[in-house]
């Protein structure tokens, strides 16, 4: 059965009569036709498009019309707190993070049965696993699950004057700080004791960010840090 979790942390398991039959996966790329030549040339790297999906099915409890109405009301209230983590039964605990775009309803036989659809948009196309947290210092190898790169949230465990974290070709440096440092490579934010200080970060991080890859990663840090991330799948 499909399990849902909303932004408030509430969870709901849908009845087996409501399911998610299709999940799109689109790779986009720009092309340019050449005058007098066959085909096209590719002018950009491929990017993964947002996923448009839908939950669909029926609420039906013979002889209990009030339960159908009650569950529909509860589901609507639940969906208003987006984004929603969607866990299909066949996804091995992975979820898509989606925003509901309505809930069209077709009431049948004077409310005895409800045929419904819940169209949803997942602007982030990746499947996500459970959140993981690791504390490390010096140089250590860590293992990343999934088949897509992850972007960790990095924070120092104490007040420090500077921070340097390196993994492969990625490096983030924060110099001239005095406090607890937090680095958000998704939103490109650097905070020192809660204050925005992106000006203290190195240009390489501002241009390329920081990522870890499926499999074994060697990470080195000049101070003790905590990494927070969720494994990702295409």
């Amino acid at each position: 059965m499909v399990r849902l979790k909303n932004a408030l942390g509430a969870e709901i398991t849908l009845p087996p009569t409501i399911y998610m039959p299709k999940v799109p996966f689109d790779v986009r790329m720009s092309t340019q036709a050449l005058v007098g030549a066959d085909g096209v040339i590719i002018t950009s790297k491929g990017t993964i498009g947002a996923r448009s999906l839908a939950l669909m099915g029926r609420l039906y409890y013979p002889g209990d019309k009030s339960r159908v109405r009650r569950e529909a009301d509860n589901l609507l209230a639940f969906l208003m707190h987006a984004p929603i983590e969607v866990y299909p039964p066949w996804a091995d605990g992975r979820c898509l993070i989606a925003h509901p775009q309505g809930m069209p309803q077709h009431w049948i036989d004077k409310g005895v049965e409800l045929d419904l659809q819940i169209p949803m948009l997942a602007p982030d196309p990746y499947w996500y696993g459970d959140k993981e947290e690791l504390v490390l210092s010096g140089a250590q190898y860590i293992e990343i699950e999934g088949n897509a790169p992850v972007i960790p949230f990095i924070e120092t465990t104490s007040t420090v004057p500077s921070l340097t974290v390196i993994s492969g070709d990625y490096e983030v440096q924060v110099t001239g700080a005095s406090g607890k440092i937090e680095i958000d490579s998704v939103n490109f934010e650097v905070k020192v004791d809660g204050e925005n200080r992106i000006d203290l970060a190195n240009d390489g991080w501002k241009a390329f960010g920081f990522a870890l890859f499926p499999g074994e990663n060697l990470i080195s840090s000049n101070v003790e840090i905590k990494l927070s991330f969720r494994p990702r799948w295409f």
Side-chain angles (χ1 to χ4, degrees):
M1 294 181 284
V2 178
R3 179 168 61 92
L4 306 177
K5 182 177 181 180
N6 68 14
L8 299 181
E11 295 191 25
I12 188 172
T13 299
L14 299 176
T17 51
I18 300 177
Y19 53 95
M20 189 170 76
K22 296 181 180 180
V23 180
F25 182 80
D26 299 318
V27 178
R28 304 171 304 182
M29 60 185 66
S30 298
T31 61
Q32 176 67 51
L34 299 177
V35 177
D38 297 327
V40 297
I41 60 171
I42 297 173
T43 58
S44 71
K45 70 174 186 178
T47 58
I48 303 173
R51 298 183 193 249
S52 295
L53 53 126
L55 301 173
M56 59 183 64
R58 298 191 175 196
L59 291 175
Y60 177 55
Y61 300 102
D64 197 348
K65 182 166 63 174
S66 63
R67 183 179 177 183
V68 177
R69 177 74 270 177
R70 184 170 62 253
E71 289 200 7
D73 288 341
N74 291 340
L75 182 55
L76 276 169
F78 178 93
L79 293 173
M80 294 305 293
H81 300 286
I84 308 295
E85 295 185 0
V86 183
Y87 296 84
W90 40 261
D92 297 327
R94 307 171 194 175
C95 73
L96 288 172
I97 302 174
H99 294 256
Q101 297 181 296
M103 194 175 91
Q105 304 161 45
H106 178 204
W107 291 92
I108 302 169
D109 198 13
K110 298 182 180 180
V112 172
E113 186 174 356
L114 173 60
D115 181 24
L116 58 82
Q117 292 189 25
I118 307 173
M120 308 183 87
L121 176 68
D124 181 341
Y126 292 97
W127 291 90
Y128 282 88
D130 293 333
K131 182 179 179 181
E132 298 185 19
E133 293 184 344
L134 300 173
V135 176
L136 56 89
S137 61
Q140 291 183 223
Y141 283 97
I142 66 170
E143 190 78 17
I144 300 296
E145 291 185 75
N147 64 3
V150 303
I151 303 176
F153 184 87
I154 303 172
E155 58 186 311
T156 62
T157 59
S158 61
T159 296
V160 296
S162 66
L163 172 64
T164 300
V165 183
I166 300 173
S167 181
D169 294 331
Y170 290 98
E171 179 177 4
V172 56
Q173 293 182 337
V174 178
T175 55
S178 181
K180 184 177 179 180
I181 300 173
E182 299 176 342
I183 300 173
D184 181 348
S185 296
V186 174
N187 300 304
F188 283 88
E189 294 180 344
V190 173
K191 292 186 178 181
V192 179
D193 285 340
E195 180 181 354
N196 291 319
R197 293 303 308 268
I198 194 172
D199 57 297
L200 301 180
N202 62 310
D203 291 339
W205 174 79
K206 294 174 185 176
F208 303 108
F210 191 91
L212 302 172
F213 295 89
E216 193 174 66
N217 294 254
L218 175 61
I219 301 179
S220 61
S221 174
N222 66 324
V223 297
E224 186 177 75
I225 58 172
K226 182 171 76 172
L227 299 179
S228 304
F229 59 89
R230 298 181 70 170
R232 301 199 300 182
W233 287 263
F234 292 112

